Every structure is written in C-alpha cells, then in structure tokens.
Amino acid sequence: MRRFLREHSLTLVFGGLFLAALVGQFFAGHADFNERQAALGQPLLSLGQYLFSADFLVDVAENWQSEYLQFFLYVTATVWLIQRGSPESKPADKVGRGTEKDQQIGQYATESSPKWARAGGWRTAVFSRSLGTAMLVLFLFSWTTQWIAGWYANNSDPLAEKTGLGEYFFSSDFWNRSLQNWQSEFLAIASMAILSVYLRQRGSSESKPVGAAHSVSDESG
C-alpha cells in the first residue's frame, strides 16, 4: 500500500485537492446563490436542490471545459511549436510527429510497449493520437454541458431575457463565461513556457536542472 501511494502520489494528491476545492465551491456557491435570491425576493434553495441545479453545474462545467481545452491545445500544439530553452518544449531538431524509432512503434516496438502500439495499422494510428483525442472529447462534453446548463440557468433568472438554446450559444453570457476562462488558460501556458526558460525548480520534472543552460530545451530536473 505504501508503495502504491508513493508511486501514484501526484494523481492522488491532486485528485484530493480537486475534491476539496469542489466541495468548497459547492458550499460557497450555495451561500452566494441564496444571498442573491434573497436580495431579489426569490425562493432559496436547499443544499440538495443547489447540488442538482443548473447554476452549480454551469459554474463547474465552465472551469472544466477550459482546462481540457488547454491540455488539448497543449499536447497537440507542442508537436509542431517550440520554445527554445523551455523544458515544456522539444528541441528544434525534433519538431514534428517523430520517427517510428523515436516513437517505438512498428518494428521498433518492444514487448513492454502497449498492445496497440505494437499492433500496427489503424489501432496504432488511433493510439498515437489518443491523448489529444481524449482531451478534445472531454472539452467538447464539458463545453456542451456548460452551454445547456447556462441556457437553463439564464432562462430561470427572472431578470434575464429568455432565449432558445441556439440563441443562447451566441449570447454574451455564454461567451463571457467561456472566454474569461480561456484567456487565463492561454496566459498560464505562455507564462510557463517562457518562465521555465530562465527560472528553475530543483527536482521538478517541469523544470530543467538548476545548472542547465538557458538555451537547453529538453532536459528535466
């Protein structure tokens, strides 16, 4: 058990932080929602009612979709785009999809390679793009959930103009929710890419070794 916890500590710790933050958001969001309802003379919601409300769902979904968009763009863009000196980037001579030898597929697959990496054909082609595909599917699912929940929450607001689902997709409320999250994700990626060129975090896989030259792109600490 101790070995399992150690070997999976990154996922377990951040999974725990996610759940703690989600619970905190739920209680804070419930209190904020009822304060606004009280100010408008509208009925308050119990904790159970708020848990399954469109207001809570849209707040959660709009954050999730931006995170998955960030990772989808990041894992696909870094195939071709580089930042010299960043450990988040490949060196310039490795831009592109890589050779079969680099990727350990085809005749270069080993016995320990994943089954679909050894299979060849369409299965290897699908597996070769599975991470980006998964992130794209999760983004589209979360964004669609935000769209539908946001539309329902908007139409439940007595002060908001009622719209159809298609109309809501082009509304300022929907795009404000989306873009305010997207811009922060894009800023975070750009900041990490450039700051990791010149700054270090000893022992982190996201950082170069402390003594590595600023121009080195593909060494980890």
Side-chain angles (χ1 to χ4, degrees):
M1 177 59 72
R2 180 177 296 179
R3 180 180 179 182
F4 174 84
L5 293 175
R6 180 183 180 187
E7 292 180 347
H8 300 277
S9 58
L10 189 60
T11 298
L12 292 172
V13 167
F14 277 92
L17 289 173
F18 157 72
L19 291 176
L22 183 62
V23 170
Q25 178 191 348
F26 167 67
F27 284 106
H30 175 257
D32 179 64
F33 178 84
N34 276 348
E35 286 176 5
R36 289 185 280 111
Q37 288 291 94
L40 295 172
Q42 298 296 314
L44 308 185
L45 295 185
S46 67
L47 288 171
Q49 290 173 318
Y50 180 71
L51 177 62
F52 295 101
S53 69
D55 291 86
F56 178 61
L57 182 58
V58 70
D59 287 343
V60 171
E62 72 177 77
N63 286 284
W64 289 8
Q65 58 88 3
S66 65
E67 296 296 335
Y68 287 122
L69 175 63
Q70 177 196 84
F71 284 116
F72 164 68
L73 293 176
Y74 192 64
V75 300
T76 55
T78 50
V79 174
W80 302 101
L81 305 181
I82 63 171
Q83 173 58 57
R84 183 185 179 194
S86 175
E88 302 294 311
S89 167
K90 298 184 293 188
D93 61 353
K94 293 185 178 179
V95 169
R97 298 171 59 240
T99 64
E100 290 194 349
K101 184 177 181 180
D102 292 334
Q103 297 297 316
Q104 298 180 27
I105 57 178
Q107 63 178 312
Y108 300 102
T110 67
E111 291 184 0
S112 60
S113 297
K115 183 177 180 180
W116 277 37
R118 291 184 277 112
W122 68 270
R123 286 177 292 180
T124 296
V126 169
F127 188 63
S128 298
R129 298 166 178 81
S130 57
L131 181 59
T133 301
M135 293 300 173
L136 177 60
V137 169
L138 288 168
F139 160 66
L140 293 175
F141 174 78
S142 301
W143 200 33
T144 301
T145 300
Q146 176 200 328
W147 171 27
I148 296 173
W151 165 72
Y152 190 86
N154 178 81
N155 284 358
S156 299
D157 186 344
L159 300 181
E161 181 180 353
K162 307 302 184 286
T163 66
L165 185 59
E167 291 177 293
Y168 181 73
F169 183 82
F170 296 99
S171 70
S172 58
D173 181 71
F174 176 71
W175 284 100
N176 178 55
R177 286 179 176 273
S178 296
L179 292 171
Q180 69 176 328
N181 285 278
W182 292 1
Q183 55 86 14
S184 65
E185 304 300 340
F186 300 153
L187 176 63
I189 291 178
S191 299
M192 185 63 180
I194 192 63
L195 290 177
S196 61
V197 175
Y198 303 104
L199 306 179
R200 308 286 189 271
Q201 184 63 50
R202 183 172 179 172
S204 173
S205 61
E206 300 302 307
S207 169
K208 296 181 289 188
V210 176
H214 291 325
S215 59
V216 173
S217 299
D218 61 343
E219 290 188 20
S220 63

